Amino acid sequence: MIHTETVAILGKQYRRTYSDTKMLLRDGIEYEDAIDPIDAEKVYEESYTPLEDLTAEEAMEIIVGGAT
């Protein structure tokens, strides 16, 4: 099931979208969860492809765009 909640990051409001099955799909791209500006009108649906678990190091490499 897809859930949304409002979160504050550095004083700004964002919408967090996530699935209790850890599978989101938007425009053919799969996500574990998504953080969007509160006024963004992005629509996600559940994917039926299980996402592989990432280690914290792998996630950081994705976020910063390279090895840490």
Side-chain angles (χ1 to χ4, degrees):
M1 172 182 271
I2 293 180
H3 304 275
T4 60
E5 65 184 9
T6 301
V7 296
I9 301 172
L10 298 175
K12 291 188 177 185
Q13 297 292 311
Y14 294 89
R15 184 177 54 241
R16 176 179 178 236
T17 305
Y18 63 98
S19 170
D20 52 9
T21 61
K22 295 187 177 183
M23 297 179 290
L24 293 175
L25 182 66
R26 180 174 175 270
D27 297 333
I29 300 172
E30 294 179 321
Y31 301 89
E32 188 168 324
D33 71 73
I35 306 281
D36 296 305
I38 198 79
D39 59 351
E41 295 186 21
K42 296 183 180 180
V43 177
Y44 297 89
E45 60 187 64
E46 284 195 292
S47 167
Y48 296 102
T49 305
L51 295 177
E52 63 182 66
D53 288 331
L54 295 177
T55 66
E57 184 175 309
E58 290 169 328
M60 185 57 75
E61 286 180 20
I62 291 169
I63 293 168
V64 299
T68 57

